[in-house]
Amino acid sequence: MRKIALLAILIFLWACTDSQSSDSNPGPDQIVRLSDSEIKGLDPQKISDLSSLRVTADQFEGLTRLNARGNAEAGLAEAWNISPDGLHWTFRLRDNLTFSDHTALTAALFPQILQRLRAAETTAPAKSLFDNIKSISSQDSQTILVTLISPDPSLPALLAHPALAALPLHRIGDAGNRWTSDRPLITSGPYQLIDWKLNDHARLIRNSQWHDEPAPAAQIIWKPMDDSLSAMRLFLAGGADIASDYPASRHSRLVTEHPDQTHSVPYLGSYYFAFNTRVPPFDDVRIRTALSMTVERDWIAEKVIGIGNVPAWGLLPPGLAGDQGFKPRWADWPQAQRIAKARQLLGQAGYGPDNPLEFEIRFNSSAEHRRVSVAMAAMWKPLHVEASLFNSEAALHFAALRRHEFTLARSGWIADLPTPENFLLVHRQANGAGNYSGYDNPVYDQILIDAIAEPNPDKRRRLMRQAEAVLIEDMPILPLYFYVTRSLVAPRIDGWQNNISNVHPSRTLRIRAR
């Protein structure tokens, strides 16, 4: 009898475990999404990692929000207007807004949200993103005035950041940091958290008090998967609807075997190497240009990397300041013509067969960075260039760049916001140690100053492209390609739209009808 009782208990425990496991699998009204790491926190003002931001964006909405294309649209505010000088933005809230606990949500909340964001005790990692906001004030219960220091046509995208979303300050005032332990979590967006099992999954359900039409899927499951290979295998086995990454080494196979489910999309990131323009030999623009024009970017993007990266001749990813990426005049020359011109430029600078150019390529430890460095060194051999390689782990590498202890070094930039200035301002002299190359051109700086002060979006965009042209003409950096994001999306999921910001809110996704 004792054995039978023990067997019954084991069967019961197995059934419970199996039920809990299947409950976090894809279902008829449940979408399972794999993130590349565990959630670090639930307070939108105290997080910076992508996995946490995605989960909080599902739950907290601001004056604006991002749609399936990654563009800003009306959120809690139904409309806004802008003053002629671009410094004053007036937002009008929708009628009868409430949090998920039925507490009224009014304009008076938003000045307090900014105040909390900037408070020292909040230690908000995203605080500097909002430095251009001079003030936020409520004009009445539904009207909010945002005053800027300088014009910013991209303000709607900035206000969609979860750090400035409507937070339940009424609950935070009572519970302090314990407010994120509430289940369900009090939220202002389409979903609210009801369960979070560390290193297992987080479960979101529809917020019945959200102002918009109910989100298409009743439940969203977020599962952390640190290993992209494991994530890919779980996805292919039907254990998830969406994987936020997959191994680069499996790209070709996935494209061949699962073309409709594999998404490799240009991202808001530029991969480049920085010349140290402060000291010889790269204080000479002729040398920098000669090396840049002989690099076969198509070959590096397609053969060395091979995951769908777009070759780059400029700094700004396509679509950010125009439909096409910038190209210098020599970008489309035949290879022989580019090599001949490069030899000429190096000869004018005093380098050639009798005086080879020698320098070190520095990169942080990564198979990808090593392959790219080896490829460039080989491409420069016909120019009588001897490039040696030096690698170190990332912390040491970027510390050396900040101290300017390099000749040519691997670098790059991934934008915080989808704006040209987020890329271009990095290379101003005023950026100090963060301007790795030491680029110093008053003309470039002035164009950027004029662009930042320009309220007209079209004029502002043209000035940004003009600044990029000046930068690439001076060549303090050697652009190679634009980053891509890699995702897997199951055939049963509808609403996914590839975009440069890699934004895919859960409220925009739906399960296809059979």
Side-chain angles (χ1 to χ4, degrees):
M1 288 295 293
R2 185 177 300 173
K3 290 182 179 180
I4 294 174
L6 179 60
L7 180 61
I9 292 172
L10 290 174
I11 292 173
F12 174 76
L13 291 174
W14 174 83
C16 290
T17 302
D18 185 65
S19 174
Q20 292 172 355
S21 175
S22 62
D23 196 35
S24 62
N25 289 333
D29 206 10
Q30 178 168 286
I31 295 175
V32 177
R33 306 187 64 171
L34 304 181
S35 59
D36 52 15
S37 64
E38 179 57 279
I39 302 168
K40 304 298 188 297
L42 297 170
D43 188 328
Q45 293 190 336
K46 296 186 177 184
I47 56 174
S48 60
D49 66 289
L50 189 56
S51 295
S52 300
L53 285 170
R54 284 171 172 163
V55 174
T56 56
D58 276 352
Q59 300 181 84
F60 298 96
E61 188 169 292
L63 296 173
T64 60
R65 66 192 187 195
L66 299 180
N67 61 22
R69 297 180 298 278
N71 298 326
E73 65 179 16
L76 297 179
E78 62 183 1
W80 59 84
N81 57 68
I82 313 166
S83 64
D85 62 5
L87 298 177
H88 305 281
W89 294 60
T90 304
F91 293 82
R92 181 164 181 80
L93 292 180
R94 301 176 189 272
D95 294 333
N96 304 316
L97 291 174
T98 69
F99 285 97
S100 57
D101 66 348
H102 301 269
T103 299
L105 197 166
T106 68
L109 175 72
F110 290 90
Q112 300 174 55
I113 294 293
L114 181 63
Q115 182 180 5
R116 181 178 187 264
L117 177 75
R118 290 177 168 170
E121 58 269 23
T122 305
T123 62
K127 180 172 65 174
S128 62
L129 292 178
F130 305 90
D131 284 348
N132 192 42
I133 296 180
K134 185 176 182 179
S135 65
I136 296 179
S137 58
S138 56
Q139 307 300 289
D140 55 44
S141 63
Q142 285 187 276
T143 308
I144 297 157
L145 176 64
V146 179
T147 302
L148 304 181
I149 296 172
S150 62
D152 184 5
S154 65
L155 180 65
L158 177 65
L159 295 179
H161 194 289
L164 215 59
L167 303 183
L169 296 186
H170 60 286
R171 177 57 181 156
I172 296 173
D174 292 337
N177 291 332
R178 300 190 310 277
W179 77 276
T180 57
S181 299
D182 290 346
R183 300 292 180 268
L185 200 62
I186 300 174
T187 66
S188 56
Y191 289 98
Q192 56 183 151
L193 181 76
I194 61 166
D195 183 32
W196 179 16
K197 294 180 179 175
L198 197 63
N199 297 317
D200 190 323
H201 72 272
R203 182 184 304 276
L204 310 181
I205 63 170
R206 288 188 185 117
N207 170 13
S208 62
Q209 298 305 305
W210 188 46
H211 64 85
D212 213 335
E213 293 293 324
Q219 296 194 60
I220 302 294
I221 302 293
W222 284 96
K223 289 185 176 182
M225 296 291 289
D226 294 330
D227 180 25
S228 62
L229 179 60
S230 297
M232 182 196 74
R233 287 171 174 165
L234 181 63
F235 171 86
L236 294 177
D241 293 303
I242 298 169
S244 63
D245 195 12
Y246 58 80
S249 60
R250 304 302 174 93
H251 177 72
S252 296
R253 180 176 177 180
L254 286 168
V255 169
T256 300
E257 297 180 0
H258 307 279
D260 296 336
Q261 302 175 55
T262 305
H263 299 255
S264 178
V265 183
Y267 187 43
L268 282 172
S270 295
Y271 183 99
Y272 54 82
F273 279 67
F275 294 105
N276 188 345
T277 65
R278 305 169 187 85
V279 294
F282 295 135
D283 58 343
D284 190 327
V285 67
R286 295 171 298 183
I287 299 174
R288 302 195 299 265
T289 302
L291 295 184
S292 183
M293 66 171 36
T294 50
V295 172
E296 292 296 319
R297 290 161 172 81
D298 292 299
W299 194 85
I300 287 178
E302 295 171 10
K303 303 299 183 182
V304 178
I305 305 301
I307 55 173
N309 298 81
V310 177
W313 285 264
L315 176 64
L316 302 179
L320 195 60
D323 294 335
Q324 302 295 324
F326 176 83
K327 281 188 176 184
R329 61 187 183 281
W330 44 261
D332 294 322
W333 291 358
Q335 181 183 13
Q337 183 180 355
R338 285 187 281 111
I339 290 177
K341 181 61 177 179
R343 285 199 181 107
Q344 179 186 351
L345 291 172
L346 287 175
Q348 292 172 358
Y351 294 99
D354 299 327
N355 183 32
L357 174 64
E358 299 179 356
F359 60 89
E360 180 181 82
I361 305 175
R362 181 167 192 147
F363 58 93
N364 50 306
S365 298
S366 160
E368 172 187 307
H369 304 328
R370 175 175 290 278
R371 290 198 303 269
V372 170
S373 300
V374 168
M376 289 195 302
M379 291 172 185
W380 292 329
K381 280 281 188 180
L383 301 177
H384 304 287
V385 171
E386 299 294 334
S388 59
L389 306 182
F390 178 81
N391 75 290
S392 61
E393 60 96 11
L396 294 176
H397 175 79
F398 288 104
L401 266 63
R402 288 190 293 271
R403 294 193 304 267
H404 313 145
E405 296 173 356
F406 70 97
T407 308
L408 177 65
R410 181 261 154 183
S411 187
W413 187 256
I414 294 180
D416 301 298
L417 292 169
T419 62
E421 58 266 35
N422 204 278
F423 287 86
L424 295 167
L425 290 173
V426 173
H427 303 284
R428 290 187 310 166
Q429 185 61 24
N431 195 35
N435 175 16
Y436 296 149
S437 71
Y439 181 53
D440 184 7
N441 184 340
V443 174
Y444 175 80
D445 291 352
Q446 187 59 53
I447 295 172
L448 281 179
I449 291 172
D450 294 342
I452 295 298
E454 176 55 60
N456 182 285
D458 291 334
K459 292 181 180 178
R460 184 186 182 102
R461 191 177 302 111
R462 286 196 293 271
L463 286 169
M464 294 294 180
R465 291 306 297 261
Q466 184 180 342
E468 181 186 24
V470 171
L471 179 75
I472 299 305
E473 182 69 22
D474 289 340
M475 203 62 67
I477 59 171
L478 198 168
L480 289 178
Y481 57 81
F482 299 112
Y483 286 103
V484 295
T485 56
R486 301 186 295 269
S487 306
L488 295 170
V489 182
R492 80 183 195 114
I493 298 299
D494 197 8
W496 180 279
Q497 296 190 40
N498 294 329
N499 62 80
I500 194 172
S501 297
N502 193 31
V503 171
H504 308 283
S506 295
R507 62 177 170 78
T508 66
L509 304 174
R510 54 179 37 82
I511 300 169
R512 295 180 191 271
R514 292 184 177 273

